[in-house]
Amino acid sequence: MAIPREISEQLCACGGVDGLQQQIPSDEDLSVLTRCHNALSDPVRLKILYALRAQPLCVCVIKEIVSIADSRLSYHLNVLKTAGLIVGVQQGNWIIYSITDLGRTGLQ
């Protein structure tokens, strides 16, 4: 297979195909990025993240902000938690949600 000279030179400069493959994140890292991007692809989840960026919140306040049913809110919070964008900490009868560093990075 013939490769254009410019591409061939650039490929050699980075160590060939093997060198190029080493620059690609691992399958595990790509899986993390996929979950993160999926979580960030929904307006409701983005609204939750922006609210949590301002301050930690309980579910009742988040529900008022996004105006959705409890079951839908639970789903969205679970997507965000699974992606590592938020954490929930039990405080008595309440779960207080806050944004993680990864969640803050995702909003930039």
Side-chain angles (χ1 to χ4, degrees):
M1 164 173 78
I3 298 174
R5 187 173 66 83
E6 182 179 323
I7 299 297
S8 178
E9 289 171 359
Q10 291 172 352
L11 192 57
C12 285
C14 76
V17 172
D18 289 337
L20 183 60
Q21 286 176 323
Q22 290 174 7
Q23 295 179 40
I24 298 172
S26 69
D27 289 344
E28 183 178 325
D29 289 342
L30 290 173
S31 180
V32 169
L33 283 170
T34 299
R35 280 193 304 274
C36 184
H37 285 282
N38 178 55
L40 292 169
S41 69
D42 185 275
V44 170
R45 292 191 289 268
L46 286 172
K47 191 180 279 191
I48 292 168
L49 285 174
Y50 277 106
L52 293 176
R53 186 173 75 170
Q55 72 175 70
L57 298 168
C58 61
V59 172
C60 54
V61 175
I62 297 170
K63 182 179 176 185
E64 189 171 329
I65 290 168
V66 296
S67 301
I68 59 175
D70 289 347
S71 61
R72 295 306 304 157
L73 179 55
S74 178
Y75 167 77
H76 288 296
L77 291 171
N78 189 49
V79 170
L80 292 167
K81 284 191 295 188
T82 300
L85 301 175
I86 66 170
V87 293
V89 176
Q90 187 85 34
Q91 291 185 4
N93 293 333
W94 306 96
I95 298 177
I96 306 300
Y97 289 95
S98 57
I99 194 167
T100 64
D101 289 341
L102 180 61
R104 287 184 191 286
T105 300
L107 292 179
Q108 293 179 354

